[in-house]
Structures are given as C-alpha cells and as structure tokens.
Amino acid sequence: ERCFPPVYPLPPPSRENKVLAEDLKTPDHHVERDPRLIRLTGTHPFNVEAPLSDLYDEGFLTTKDLHYVRNHGAVPLVNDADVLDWEFSITGLVDQPTTLTLRDLIQTYEQATYPITLVCAGNRRKEQNVVRKTKGFSWGAAGVSTALWTGVALGDVLARARPTRRARYVCFDGADRLPNGFYGTSVRLSWAMDPERGMMLAHRMNGEPLSPDHGKPLRIVIPGQIGGRSVKWLKKIIVTDKPSDNWYHIYDNRVLPTTISPEESADLPETWKDERYAIYDLNTNSAVCYPAHDERVPLPAGYEGGVYKLKGYAYAGGGKRVTRLEVTLDQGKSWTLANVSYPEDLYRLAPEGEMLYGGRLDMTWRDSSFCWCFWELDLPLSLLATAGDVMVRAMDDAMMVQPRDMYWSVLGMMNNPWYRVVIHKEAHALRFEHPTQPALIPGGWMERVKKAGGNITNGFWGEKKAGESETPVAELAP
Amino acid sequence: ERCFPPVYPLPPPSRENKVLAEDLKTPDHHVERDPRLIRLTGTHPFNVEAPLSDLYDEGFLTTKDLHYVRNHGAVPLVNDADVLDWEFSITGLVDQPTTLTLRDLIQTYEQATYPITLVCAGNRRKEQNVVRKTKGFSWGAAGVSTALWTGVALGDVLARARPTRRARYVCFDGADRLPNGFYGTSVRLSWAMDPERGMMLAHRMNGEPLSPDHGKPLRIVIPGQIGGRSVKWLKKIIVTDKPSDNWYHIYDNRVLPTTISPEESADLPETWKDERYAIYDLNTNSAVCYPAHDERVPLPAGYEGGVYKLKGYAYAGGGKRVTRLEVTLDQGKSWTLANVSYPEDLYRLAPEGEMLYGGRLDMTWRDSSFCWCFWELDLPLSLLATAGDVMVRAMDDAMMVQPRDMYWSVLGMMNNPWYRVVIHKEAHALRFEHPTQPALIPGGWMERVKKAGGNITNGFWGEKKAGESETPVAELAP
C-alpha cells in the first residue's frame, strides 16, 4: 500500500517546450528548451541557469525546464525509437568486459530512485570574474538544481564486470564530439563501489525519460560531486589504473593554485595533470535567494515592528550535510543562526518497499546527504534598515565553514565565500543588491565597488576605511 | 622477502620512562611518563602536548613519549600479566552478542598495521581562549601526533556480531570511571563497516603494547576523526539505533553555534543533543613549526642573499588529503605554494604481503589519507625582513580552505584559521612570535595585541588601521 499524497516532495509539473528560434541555426536545432533560462555562453553551446528566484520558487525539486545545463558542444541526437537500443560498453581492467543496451540495464538490474542535487563547479563564478577574469564563463548563483533520478547503481554494473586487482579509476566517455575529442572524465573506483556515495547510471529525471540537454538517453549522476563528473550521453565506462587522460578531465574542473595566472597556466602541463587540483567533492556553499537582486522592500510608517523573511539555499559535498547557516548584519562581528530545512530527509520516511518511477525509493539505510537544503530567517525590518549589508555562511558536518575570502583560480571554480547582499536605503524602502548578475547582465555591488576604485578582495568587500592605506601597517608596539 | 631498511618510516626509539614525582600523589601513580610533556590541566588528570619543535623533530611518527594525551580522569591500572585476559563485549542490536578477550582478538582476527594521525578536537584552542574564554583548556598547536597502530578492523568484529536491520550507530565505552560515568561516545555504523575509513581496535602502538596513557591494553583508533572518538581502555561496543547517550558524547566534542555564550549554554539540552553539532571528521588545519616561537634568525651583513626554510604540518579529516599549503607575507593579498610531502604514501610502496609488528601493512588498496603531511618553503631573508608577519593556510581535496576568521564556540574546538606568525625586527636579527603558547605559558601576539586594545577578531588580527573606527563604515557611493 502506498501513501498518497506521499510524505516526500514530488516534482512540480514540467512544461511542453518547443525548439526556440535562436536554436534553429545551431546544431541543437532538435532540442526543445524553456525560454526562461539565461544563456551564459551566447546562443551555443547551451550553458544556462534559471533566474535565481524562479529556481528557488520551484522548491526542492527542479523541473527539467529550469535545471541548469552545462553542454560543451552539440547535443547528440537520439530518436525516441532508438532510446532502448542505446549501447554502452564496460571495458578496461575488468575480467568481464561487456556491451549493454539501455534495455538490458533496465531489465537486468535493480532500479532505484532518489533525489540528487547537481552543482556546476562554476556556480558563482561571475564573482570571480569580476575580481579578475578567469578562463570560465560567468555563472551566477543558480548553477545548482535537484531532481529525482532513476537508474542503476554504478557499483552493481561494475561488480558484474569484475574489476581486476590493479583497477583504481573508472573513466566515463560521452557521445558529445568536441574540439578535443569526446567529453570524458573519471572518478575513483573505490567511490564508485561505495553505496554510500550513490553513483548512478540514470535514465529518468523526475519520472520522465531524460531530455536531450540532460543526457538522453543515459548518463552518469554522481551525488555530492561537481556536475562535470556526471557524464551525459554515456557511451563508455573504462576501468583503469590511472585517472582519465581525456582533455576535459585534465584541462577543466580544476582549482589550480591561486598564484597561477592565466598567462602562466598556458605552459604548466604537470600542474594541470596533478590530481590534487582536480575537483571531485563539492565544497560547502550557500546563497541568498530572497531578497532578490534589486528587490525593494517598502518601509511604511510604523515599519519598525515588521519582519522580512530572508531565504536561500545551501549545500555541501561528498555526502556531507550542511549543519548550520549563519547570518550577519555587521560584517562578521556577530552571527545569527537561521532555520535550516532538509526536504531530502522526507524521502527517508517513505514506507519500506516504496517504488517511485519504476525504482526503489530506499533511503533509510543511507547516512549521506545528496541534496541542497533551505534556510530562512525572520529579520526585524528595524535591523535591516540600519545594516549596510547582510551576509550568510554555511558550515558542514566536517566543521568547515565558508570563508570570508574568495579563492581565485585560473579556471574560476568552487567560489564559496560568504554571500553578501548590500542594503541600500531609499525613500521609504530598502533596495537589495546581490554580488553579481549572471552572464553579461550588469548589476551587483562587486562591479560597482570595483568601478569606484575599491579593492573587492581586501577582506572588507572593497570598502575603504577612513585613512586606509594599501601598504601593510605597522604592528602595534610590542 | 622483506626490504631492509624499509621504504617507509619506522618510529624513532622510544624511551624508558619513570613515574614522575608529581604523579605520585595522584591516582596515576602507576603511570610512567616523559617529563618533556607540557601539562595543560595542572598535575591531574593528565592532558599534555609536546613542545611543538620537539613534536616536529620526531618526524612523521611520534613516540609514545611525546604523543599528546587526553585523559578525563584516572588511568585504569592493568597489570602486564592481565593484558591478554582483558575482556570487552559486543552487544546491542546484533544477532550474535559476544564477549571477547584481547587474546581472542589477536588469535581469531586478521591483524593490520598502519599509520594514523590522531588530533584532539581542542588543538589550537588556546587561540580561542585568548579571544574569549571557552569551557576548554588551552591546547597549543601540538595536540596532534602520528603512530603506527596495530589491531583488528572494527568492521570485522562487528560483521561477526551481525548488526540487525535497525542498527545505525556503534557506541564505545571505556574503563575510565569519571564523575559522569564511564567515558563513552559513538560513531555511525556505516562508517565503522567501511574499510576506507579504517576504524580499528588497536593493541599496539609503534610496535609496542599500548602504554597506560594510550589505552592499555586495548582501544579504538579512528583515522580522520577527532581523538575524542577513539575510546581508550575499551570495555564495551554497543550497537544501537541512536547516538550514544553518554554524558561525554553529548556535552563534549561539539561545536555549538558561535552565537551561544557560556552562560546560555548551561540551559540548552536540545541544542547539546543536536547531532549536527557533534564533531566527527577533523577539519582542515595547519601550523608553522619553524620558525618556532621566540626563535631568532640572525641577519648578518649581506644576509639579503640568504634563505630561511619555513616548515610545518597540515592535516585534513574524513580520509581527505591536504592538497596544497599556501604562505602569505602580505596578509592574504598574495600567496605562495609550499612544497608538501606525504610520508604516509611511502607505506603504499611496501611489497605485497608485508608484515609489520604482527599486522599486515597493506595500504595500496586504500585511497583515503589518514595522516598529517609536512610542508616547507624556502623564503628569502630579504622578504622575511620586510614582512610584518607570515601566515599559512591549507586546502583539502574537497576544495575547502582554512578561513581567515576564527569560529569561536563555547567548548573551543576545531580552531583552524590561518596560522599567523608575527615577525619582529631586532638589531641584526628577526624574532618570530606565534599566536599563543600552550596552557598558561605566556607569550604570543594574540595576548599582546589584545592587551594593547586590539580587537583580534576584526579580520586583521587586531591591527588598528590609521583612523579605523569600530562602527560599520558607509558604503562607497552607489
């Protein structure tokens, strides 16, 4: 017997989209898309995020329509009639190399369904680009989305192929043909075999077959790691003793040391290949969604008794949980705890044996956290009206906290300093200003402060303190 | 055939210690100790760290003599003749409850040996105590040590006891009788069963039977987590569906929200019991060991061509690796990459089948990192002589970086901001000043700056910039 309505969230209805006019002249002329999405790299390839408020308003689960997309090139064309015949191979350091069809995968293996938050390693990169141009394009804070994914545990497929003793990595290749070959990357075999890590070969998203932008008909989905490891249009799984040597594995999704400039990076092959700089687990991050950028909050007569509900999201990586979200109105001198909700935990309450979209929904045994959480805090308008800004930071269960300082690196990745919203006093209203706006959209305090001559990485968001000098000051007398 | 000398480090020789005069009047009158250790809580109970330079000089492996000790009360007395008859039980949500002796454990189970770094959650707490007194005593930066531990995988012992479907946690009780009962705590069952996490029942340290201060004759050792989970003098393993309700599990080793003052904390039972605030994995941390506190580096005529080798340690938690260590001489405006060495990886080179101290040394299959690493950087004396301070920060493979700002909390735990050493110019020499000295030992820039009226948590280490005011400054004009 299944409870209805279920105790856990189901996705909002998705839309019937059309091929958009701007895509007609591109190789993606066969792909239907939602016009609300913000294009971050011109018309093509398709790299998009939703307006932050729209993303937040969809709730815990994001529709395929507003889910962020990161495509490196043209979307492979797969006709509906060919979906079940889609072939992929498992080769390399395995005793039992195989080629399977999607039909085999569905018929032969146990199916599971659970919610997974994907995040692009470039989420919030626009902030880094304002500080100093990176090699990456300008994501705002909506490069993050959550869906119910249905598919097969990667570890189950690998176990049947029987990795050899030397096997250490699992490489994935997609079907997207790019200037430097097919897109490909790798993860550690030990992670792939670990049920707590939840790596999946997915063929459904929110109960529907995958749409072209999300990997139709088959993709890898890796919880807790950057989206760049969740290879779409999956064609090959190769078990190896070394990390992938795919161009995109080496020259993308890395945080090089902050010392390395774009110019220097052009000639450092050994640095690029150093796996210590490859990004796997997400770092801990958060953002304010309400107040939105440019939102105006009226301050009518007698507003002093009123409150404004500050709202946003937070996430951590590697199965870790965000354990607290703190808000400051005095630039970090003091912090207030926000209320955090974990809709993911509602799925753990599903009755034993629950099936969803053809997969087992069995999350009770799993300790790790795969999804974003939401936080909110009622703030008295009287406090907001006297503060210059509001900032938030999350802490994860390894007691790592988002830092005040940005870690700039040449690819512009994993940006996670305190998320700062400036508060402007206007006549009878407060106006809020986020750090940036995505892509080339102007706006945000970072560009404004920088243009006014402020050094936005000085530890005080570019504010000039009276008499501040750029040279180090003398110590207090010993 | 075994290589000799091995490719991996072996421990430095340990000493024959004596019972020290100061211990004679305490319940620990039977415990032999090294007089070099710095006592952090008076004479008794015994809570100690080594002088930071001595710790560093021992190298990758710390002897039992200099290994930090955290005792809550009297050390249980166990005679050598009774060691093998030491009994411990496995009960709770298991199909097969058992009582074993240490002899059973050694004879019936596979033994393993590998290096594990233990760190007290209070490492570097003195810095927090200078900011505002916490409820904890004042560790310096030497509450960290590494040894070769020999014993049995906790998961092996649990597997034979067969946890039931409801089982979620593993509680440990020690034999140390304390004001609030025996010391006890818990970890998640899924971690205990995960070989990558490497939890162990250990009966040897650096090849010797455990000394009394380190858990004689049997203890838990948990890599990558705070030392407070590695219960000594192990008597009971209890499998449960809830975290431990032991007083020490609830009221120790937690990072409460920074908003909570010592006074407020006295009446917040639900906050204390919130598992989100319990510390398991270590957070990422680092310290400068050389130059030592108060070290003087001569600047003879013509010193400009000389270099000083800056040296220290770093660690991360939960099996993660420190992937970079960066040094700044300009308060975070720019950073230089230090060279990091990972002696732990040398054990991965041991030949197949290698045995050490009666246990298999087989680390090739394991991806996770359990040990500290060392970093060094040659700095031109000309740069040191013109800098006001030198600071270091580590980043881990989840791309979390040590923050500029301290996270103060009521118990004073997991302190990991950038480690700052102030550089004083003297006649023909540089003198270096660490943040603090352990226990009640005076010294360090934090106390000095605070006494001089500086606010050491202002984001600039209490330095007063010319004209700085304590009130928030106005935004740059919009």
Side-chain angles (χ1 to χ4, degrees):
Chain A
E1 66 242 279
R2 179 159 155 204
C3 322
F4 202 86
V7 290
Y8 47 81
L10 289 176
S14 70
R15 299 189 178 189
E16 290 275 330
N17 294 314
K18 293 184 185 139
V19 174
L20 300 175
E22 59 238 85
D23 287 319
L24 286 174
K25 296 153 299 182
T26 79
D28 292 350
H29 50 73
H30 58 97
V31 184
E32 297 168 346
R33 287 166 175 159
D34 189 305
R36 291 172 293 175
L37 293 168
I38 300 166
R39 299 203 183 209
L40 306 172
T41 53
T43 310
H44 185 80
F46 191 64
N47 292 295
V48 294
E49 66 181 85
L52 186 56
S53 306
D54 291 350
L55 176 73
Y56 184 88
D57 292 348
E58 279 207 330
F60 177 67
L61 296 170
T62 319
T63 57
K64 71 173 195 320
D65 311 315
L66 289 190
H67 196 292
Y68 85 85
V69 179
R70 171 78 180 97
N71 290 345
H72 291 77
V75 174
L77 169 61
V78 182
N79 294 315
D80 287 348
D82 302 329
V83 157
L84 289 175
D85 294 318
W86 178 267
E87 285 189 343
F88 66 101
S89 58
I90 302 122
T91 60
L93 299 176
V94 294
D95 286 339
Q96 204 68 253
T98 344
T99 296
L100 291 175
T101 62
L102 178 52
R103 182 181 295 104
D104 298 332
L105 189 76
I106 294 172
Q107 292 180 346
T108 328
Y109 288 86
E110 184 176 18
Q111 309 294 310
T113 298
Y114 43 89
I116 296 170
T117 295
L118 290 177
V119 186
C120 184
N123 193 33
R124 297 184 61 189
R125 183 190 288 131
K126 174 72 171 274
E127 299 168 46
Q128 293 174 312
N129 278 338
V130 176
V131 167
R132 180 179 183 179
K133 211 172 148 19
T134 73
K135 294 189 173 197
F137 56 86
S138 288
W139 289 96
V144 46
S145 312
T146 304
L148 284 161
W149 297 92
T150 301
V152 172
L154 175 59
D156 288 356
V157 173
L158 289 168
R160 286 208 208 173
R162 297 208 308 273
T164 66
R165 203 181 136 76
R166 276 175 48 225
R168 297 291 300 281
Y169 295 87
V170 188
C171 305
F172 311 117
D173 275 2
D176 42 340
R177 197 185 298 271
L178 305 173
N180 295 292
F182 293 102
Y183 184 82
T185 182
S186 60
V187 296
R188 288 192 189 160
L189 177 62
S190 63
W191 300 338
M193 300 306 292
D194 180 0
E196 279 286 342
R197 286 229 168 218
M199 298 187 183
M200 184 193 271
L201 283 82
H203 52 84
R204 285 187 171 264
M205 176 187 186
N206 291 333
E208 300 170 4
L210 301 190
S211 62
D213 278 326
H214 296 295
K216 177 181 182 181
L218 181 65
R219 70 176 299 178
I220 298 289
V221 182
I222 299 184
Q225 297 199 344
I226 55 163
R229 307 292 167 221
S230 288
V231 172
K232 300 193 279 194
W233 314 297
L234 180 74
K235 285 308 286 178
K236 291 183 185 170
I237 298 175
I238 309 161
V239 178
T240 58
D241 58 354
K242 294 208 166 53
S244 170
D245 60 3
N246 186 289
W247 191 91
Y248 298 92
H249 183 72
I250 293 166
Y251 292 103
D252 200 357
N253 293 319
R254 304 220 160 201
V255 177
L256 296 201
T258 190
T259 44
I260 297 175
S261 68
E263 301 71 41
E264 287 172 300
S265 74
D267 195 31
L268 291 170
E270 292 315 308
T271 299
W272 283 105
K273 284 174 192 158
D274 190 331
E275 271 281 305
R276 292 183 301 170
Y277 306 142
I279 314 166
Y280 295 98
D281 289 354
L282 291 163
N283 60 6
T284 300
N285 211 341
S286 62
V288 174
C289 297
Y290 287 103
H293 179 67
D294 253 351
E295 181 173 333
R296 278 179 173 74
V297 172
L299 296 180
Y303 73 86
E304 289 82 358
V307 296
Y308 182 91
K309 193 182 287 293
L310 206 71
K311 296 190 281 196
Y313 71 74
Y315 58 80
K320 291 200 298 291
R321 180 178 285 255
V322 169
T323 52
R324 73 195 75 186
L325 188 296
E326 293 166 317
V327 179
T328 181
L329 291 170
D330 57 10
Q331 304 202 319
K333 290 191 185 71
S334 68
W335 297 85
T336 305
L337 210 55
N339 294 310
V340 183
S341 64
Y342 306 90
E344 174 182 15
D345 286 340
L346 298 173
Y347 297 86
R348 303 188 205 271
L349 307 177
E352 212 177 314
E354 181 88 342
M355 297 292 291
L356 180 65
Y357 306 142
R360 271 188 82 193
L361 182 67
D362 180 12
M363 290 177 45
T364 51
W365 59 273
R366 189 178 269 141
D367 283 322
S368 33
S369 171
F370 292 166
C371 295
W372 61 354
C373 59
F374 299 118
W375 58 266
E376 44 182 62
L377 181 64
D378 283 333
L379 280 176
L381 284 175
S382 53
L383 283 182
L384 278 176
T386 49
D389 52 23
V390 52
M391 287 185 267
V392 301
R393 67 177 182 192
M395 185 185 276
D396 62 41
D397 55 22
M399 306 298 167
M400 290 300 283
V401 65
Q402 288 182 246
R404 173 197 295 250
D405 297 86
M406 172 184 292
Y407 192 94
W408 187 96
S409 69
V410 66
L411 291 183
M413 300 242 160
M414 308 297 269
N415 187 46
N416 73 336
W418 305 347
Y419 194 93
R420 177 175 184 248
V421 175
V422 169
I423 307 172
H424 296 280
K425 281 88 193 165
E426 300 189 337
H428 311 296
L430 299 176
R431 181 172 58 82
F432 294 89
E433 186 184 30
H434 278 231
T436 62
Q437 287 293 281
L440 301 176
I441 303 172
W445 62 263
M446 293 187 75
E447 282 178 351
R448 174 176 56 74
V449 170
K450 189 177 184 183
K451 266 183 209 151
N455 170 7
I456 47 184
T457 59
N458 70 351
F460 279 99
W461 310 281
E463 295 186 349
K464 280 213 199 318
K465 305 227 163 190
E468 184 193 13
S469 78
E470 278 300 303
T471 48
V473 290
E475 275 289 301
L476 290 178
Chain B
E1 68 240 281
R2 178 161 156 201
C3 323
F4 201 86
V7 290
Y8 48 81
L10 289 177
S14 69
R15 299 189 178 188
E16 291 274 331
N17 294 315
K18 292 183 187 143
V19 174
L20 299 174
E22 60 236 85
D23 288 319
L24 287 175
K25 296 153 299 182
T26 79
D28 291 350
H29 51 74
H30 57 97
V31 184
E32 298 167 346
R33 289 168 174 157
D34 189 303
R36 291 172 293 174
L37 294 167
I38 299 166
R39 299 202 184 209
L40 307 172
T41 52
T43 309
H44 185 79
F46 191 63
N47 292 295
V48 294
E49 66 181 86
L52 186 57
S53 306
D54 291 350
L55 176 74
Y56 184 88
D57 292 349
E58 279 208 330
F60 176 67
L61 296 170
T62 319
T63 57
K64 70 172 195 320
D65 312 315
L66 290 189
H67 196 293
Y68 85 85
V69 179
R70 171 78 181 97
N71 290 346
H72 290 77
V75 174
L77 169 62
V78 182
N79 294 316
D80 288 348
D82 302 328
V83 157
L84 289 174
D85 294 317
W86 178 266
E87 285 190 344
F88 65 102
S89 58
I90 302 122
T91 60
L93 299 176
V94 294
D95 287 339
Q96 204 68 254
T98 344
T99 296
L100 292 174
T101 62
L102 177 52
R103 182 181 296 102
D104 298 331
L105 189 76
I106 294 172
Q107 292 181 347
T108 327
Y109 288 86
E110 184 175 19
Q111 310 294 309
T113 298
Y114 42 89
I116 297 169
T117 295
L118 291 176
V119 186
C120 185
N123 194 32
R124 295 183 62 187
R125 184 190 287 131
K126 173 73 171 271
E127 299 168 47
Q128 292 174 312
N129 277 339
V130 176
V131 168
R132 180 181 183 178
K133 210 171 149 16
T134 73
K135 294 188 172 199
F137 57 85
S138 288
W139 289 96
V144 46
S145 312
T146 305
L148 284 161
W149 297 91
T150 301
V152 172
L154 174 59
D156 288 357
V157 173
L158 289 168
R160 286 209 208 172
R162 297 209 308 273
T164 67
R165 201 180 137 77
R166 275 174 50 226
R168 298 291 299 281
Y169 295 87
V170 187
C171 305
F172 310 116
D173 274 2
D176 42 339
R177 197 185 299 271
L178 304 173
N180 294 292
F182 293 101
Y183 185 83
T185 182
S186 59
V187 297
R188 289 192 188 160
L189 177 62
S190 63
W191 300 338
M193 301 305 294
D194 181 1
E196 279 286 342
R197 286 230 169 217
M199 298 187 184
M200 184 194 271
L201 283 83
H203 53 84
R204 285 186 171 265
M205 176 187 185
N206 291 332
E208 300 170 4
L210 301 190
S211 62
D213 279 325
H214 297 295
K216 178 181 183 181
L218 181 66
R219 70 176 299 178
I220 298 288
V221 181
I222 299 184
Q225 298 199 344
I226 55 162
R229 307 293 167 220
S230 289
V231 171
K232 299 193 281 196
W233 315 296
L234 181 74
K235 284 308 285 178
K236 292 184 185 171
I237 298 175
I238 310 161
V239 179
T240 58
D241 58 355
K242 295 209 167 51
S244 170
D245 59 3
N246 185 288
W247 190 92
Y248 299 92
H249 182 73
I250 293 165
Y251 293 104
D252 199 358
N253 293 317
R254 305 220 159 199
V255 176
L256 296 200
T258 190
T259 44
I260 297 175
S261 68
E263 300 71 39
E264 286 172 301
S265 74
D267 193 32
L268 291 171
E270 292 317 307
T271 300
W272 283 105
K273 285 174 191 158
D274 191 330
E275 271 282 304
R276 293 183 300 171
Y277 306 142
I279 314 167
Y280 295 98
D281 289 353
L282 291 163
N283 60 6
T284 300
N285 211 341
S286 61
V288 174
C289 298
Y290 288 103
H293 178 68
D294 254 350
E295 180 173 332
R296 278 181 174 72
V297 173
L299 295 180
Y303 73 85
E304 291 82 357
V307 296
Y308 182 90
K309 193 182 287 292
L310 205 73
K311 296 190 281 196
Y313 71 74
Y315 58 80
K320 291 199 299 292
R321 180 179 285 256
V322 168
T323 53
R324 72 196 76 185
L325 188 297
E326 292 166 317
V327 179
T328 182
L329 291 171
D330 57 11
Q331 304 203 317
K333 292 191 183 72
S334 68
W335 297 86
T336 305
L337 210 54
N339 294 311
V340 183
S341 64
Y342 306 90
E344 175 182 12
D345 287 340
L346 298 173
Y347 297 86
R348 302 187 205 274
L349 306 176
E352 212 178 314
E354 181 88 342
M355 297 292 290
L356 181 64
Y357 306 142
R360 271 188 81 193
L361 181 68
D362 179 12
M363 291 177 43
T364 51
W365 60 273
R366 189 177 269 141
D367 283 322
S368 33
S369 172
F370 293 165
C371 296
W372 62 354
C373 59
F374 298 119
W375 58 267
E376 43 183 62
L377 181 64
D378 283 332
L379 280 176
L381 284 176
S382 54
L383 283 183
L384 278 177
T386 50
D389 52 22
V390 53
M391 286 185 267
V392 301
R393 67 177 183 193
M395 185 185 276
D396 62 40
D397 55 22
M399 306 298 167
M400 291 301 282
V401 65
Q402 288 182 247
R404 173 198 296 250
D405 297 86
M406 172 183 292
Y407 193 94
W408 187 95
S409 69
V410 65
L411 291 184
M413 299 240 159
M414 308 296 268
N415 187 45
N416 73 336
W418 305 346
Y419 194 93
R420 176 174 185 249
V421 175
V422 169
I423 307 172
H424 296 281
K425 281 89 194 165
E426 300 189 337
H428 311 294
L430 299 176
R431 181 173 57 83
F432 294 89
E433 187 184 30
H434 278 231
T436 62
Q437 288 293 281
L440 301 176
I441 302 172
W445 62 263
M446 294 186 76
E447 282 178 351
R448 174 175 56 76
V449 171
K450 189 176 184 182
K451 267 184 208 150
N455 169 8
I456 46 184
T457 59
N458 69 352
F460 278 99
W461 310 280
E463 296 186 348
K464 279 213 199 318
K465 307 227 165 193
E468 184 192 11
S469 77
E470 278 301 302
T471 50
V473 290
E475 275 290 302
L476 290 177

